[in-house]
Amino acid sequence: MTRPVGSPAFEVSERPAGREFIDPRGEGEPDYRAIQQSQEFARLRRRLRLFVFPMSALFFFWYMMFALLSAYAHGFMSHQVAGEINTGTILGLMQFASTIAIVLAYRRFARKKLDPEVDRIHELAGVDKE
Protein backbone atom coordinates (compact mmCIF):
# COMPACT_ATOMS: atom_id res chain seq x y z
CA MET A 1 0.00 0.00 0.00
CA THR A 2 1.41 3.39 -0.92
CA ARG A 3 1.09 6.63 0.97
CA PRO A 4 -0.47 9.67 -0.68
CA VAL A 5 1.96 12.45 -1.48
CA GLY A 6 2.46 14.78 1.46
CA SER A 7 1.14 12.34 4.08
CA PRO A 8 3.21 11.88 7.24
CA ALA A 9 5.87 9.15 7.21
CA PHE A 10 4.83 7.93 10.68
CA GLU A 11 1.76 5.95 11.53
CA VAL A 12 -1.01 7.75 13.37
CA SER A 13 -2.52 5.83 16.20
CA GLU A 14 -6.29 5.64 16.72
CA ARG A 15 -5.85 6.46 20.41
CA PRO A 16 -7.50 9.58 21.78
CA ALA A 17 -4.98 12.36 22.19
CA GLY A 18 -3.82 13.19 25.69
CA ARG A 19 -5.41 10.23 27.49
CA GLU A 20 -3.24 7.20 26.77
CA PHE A 21 -0.19 7.95 28.90
CA ILE A 22 -1.67 9.74 31.90
CA ASP A 23 -0.61 8.30 35.24
CA PRO A 24 -3.54 6.28 36.66
CA ARG A 25 -2.87 7.64 40.16
CA GLY A 26 -4.53 10.85 39.04
CA GLU A 27 -1.62 13.21 39.65
CA GLY A 28 -1.72 14.56 36.09
CA GLU A 29 1.81 13.38 35.36
CA PRO A 30 2.60 11.24 32.31
CA ASP A 31 2.86 7.49 32.94
CA TYR A 32 6.48 7.05 31.93
CA ARG A 33 6.33 3.26 32.15
CA ALA A 34 3.39 3.17 29.70
CA ILE A 35 5.26 5.53 27.38
CA GLN A 36 8.37 3.34 27.49
CA GLN A 37 6.34 0.22 26.67
CA SER A 38 4.31 1.81 23.88
CA GLN A 39 4.62 1.05 20.17
CA GLU A 40 5.27 4.74 19.45
CA PHE A 41 8.26 4.84 21.78
CA ALA A 42 9.64 1.55 20.41
CA ARG A 43 9.36 2.95 16.87
CA LEU A 44 11.15 6.15 17.96
CA ARG A 45 14.00 4.21 19.56
CA ARG A 46 14.32 1.92 16.52
CA ARG A 47 14.57 4.89 14.15
CA LEU A 48 17.16 6.54 16.36
CA ARG A 49 19.26 3.36 16.55
CA LEU A 50 19.08 2.86 12.78
CA PHE A 51 20.77 6.24 12.35
CA VAL A 52 23.12 6.43 15.34
CA PHE A 53 24.77 3.01 15.28
CA PRO A 54 25.74 2.89 11.58
CA MET A 55 26.87 6.53 11.65
CA SER A 56 28.94 5.93 14.79
CA ALA A 57 30.54 2.83 13.27
CA LEU A 58 31.34 4.70 10.06
CA PHE A 59 32.89 7.61 11.92
CA PHE A 60 34.87 5.28 14.22
CA PHE A 61 36.25 3.42 11.18
CA TRP A 62 37.18 6.73 9.53
CA TYR A 63 38.87 8.02 12.71
CA MET A 64 40.80 4.79 13.29
CA MET A 65 41.94 4.77 9.67
CA PHE A 66 43.32 8.30 10.13
CA ALA A 67 45.01 7.35 13.43
CA LEU A 68 46.58 4.20 11.97
CA LEU A 69 47.77 6.00 8.86
CA SER A 70 49.30 8.69 11.07
CA ALA A 71 51.10 6.10 13.17
CA TYR A 72 52.27 3.65 10.50
CA ALA A 73 52.15 5.29 7.05
CA HIS A 74 54.53 8.21 7.47
CA GLY A 75 55.45 8.24 3.79
CA PHE A 76 51.84 8.44 2.64
CA MET A 77 50.84 11.03 5.24
CA SER A 78 53.84 13.27 4.54
CA HIS A 79 53.29 13.26 0.76
CA GLN A 80 53.23 16.90 -0.40
CA VAL A 81 49.99 17.78 -2.18
CA ALA A 82 50.37 21.52 -2.70
CA GLY A 83 53.20 23.58 -1.22
CA GLU A 84 53.43 22.84 2.50
CA ILE A 85 50.09 21.00 2.57
CA ASN A 86 50.48 17.24 2.83
CA THR A 87 48.07 14.30 2.84
CA GLY A 88 48.04 14.14 6.66
CA THR A 89 46.93 17.76 6.91
CA ILE A 90 44.14 17.22 4.41
CA LEU A 91 42.91 14.05 6.15
CA GLY A 92 43.11 15.81 9.53
CA LEU A 93 40.97 18.69 8.27
CA MET A 94 38.56 16.19 6.76
CA GLN A 95 38.00 14.86 10.30
CA PHE A 96 36.51 18.25 11.21
CA ALA A 97 34.50 18.41 8.00
CA SER A 98 33.08 14.92 8.52
CA THR A 99 32.09 15.76 12.09
CA ILE A 100 30.20 18.82 10.87
CA ALA A 101 28.56 16.76 8.11
CA ILE A 102 27.42 14.15 10.62
CA VAL A 103 25.94 16.82 12.90
CA LEU A 104 24.06 18.41 9.99
CA ALA A 105 22.83 15.00 8.78
CA TYR A 106 21.59 14.12 12.28
CA ARG A 107 19.89 17.49 12.62
CA ARG A 108 18.01 16.93 9.36
CA PHE A 109 17.18 13.33 10.27
CA ALA A 110 15.87 14.35 13.69
CA ARG A 111 13.75 17.14 12.24
CA LYS A 112 12.15 14.92 9.59
CA LYS A 113 11.98 11.49 11.27
CA LEU A 114 12.26 11.83 15.04
CA ASP A 115 10.52 15.09 15.92
CA PRO A 116 7.12 14.03 14.49
CA GLU A 117 7.27 10.85 16.57
CA VAL A 118 8.26 12.77 19.71
CA ASP A 119 5.39 15.20 19.09
CA ARG A 120 2.99 12.25 18.81
CA ILE A 121 4.21 10.81 22.14
CA HIS A 122 3.82 14.24 23.74
CA GLU A 123 0.30 14.42 22.36
CA LEU A 124 -0.58 10.99 23.76
CA ALA A 125 0.89 11.93 27.12
CA GLY A 126 -0.99 15.22 27.23
CA VAL A 127 2.23 17.21 27.42
CA ASP A 128 2.42 20.65 25.86
CA LYS A 129 5.39 21.52 23.65
CA GLU A 130 7.59 24.14 25.24
Side-chain angles (χ1 to χ4, degrees):
M1 184 171 158
T2 60
R3 290 185 299 119
V5 176
S7 67
F10 60 95
E11 299 173 19
V12 176
S13 174
E14 296 299 321
R15 297 178 179 146
R19 295 190 184 98
E20 181 67 22
F21 300 138
I22 299 296
D23 192 353
R25 292 174 284 184
E27 298 172 6
E29 289 290 317
D31 185 357
Y32 296 109
R33 187 169 305 261
I35 292 171
Q36 183 181 15
Q37 295 172 353
S38 70
Q39 291 176 353
E40 291 85 356
F41 190 72
R43 187 172 35 251
L44 175 66
R45 287 184 51 130
R46 185 174 50 252
R47 281 196 173 164
L48 179 65
R49 281 193 303 262
L50 286 174
F51 180 88
V52 170
F53 288 135
M55 192 63 70
S56 297
L58 180 67
F59 185 77
F60 181 73
F61 173 76
W62 160 234
Y63 176 76
M64 289 307 295
M65 183 186 74
F66 175 71
L68 291 171
L69 286 173
S70 297
Y72 299 110
H74 297 285
F76 174 73
M77 295 296 272
S78 63
H79 175 74
Q80 298 294 321
V81 175
E84 295 295 317
I85 299 175
N86 59 25
T87 307
T89 302
I90 292 172
L91 292 177
L93 291 173
M94 286 176 59
Q95 290 285 319
F96 290 106
S98 65
T99 302
I100 292 168
I102 290 170
V103 168
L104 293 175
Y106 176 77
R107 182 177 168 219
R108 182 173 187 241
F109 172 79
R111 189 174 353 106
K112 289 188 172 210
K113 301 289 184 182
L114 300 180
D115 290 349
E117 301 251 353
V118 170
D119 291 344
R120 178 67 182 147
I121 292 171
H122 281 164
E123 179 184 327
L124 291 170
V127 177
D128 293 330
K129 287 175 63 173
E130 294 179 25

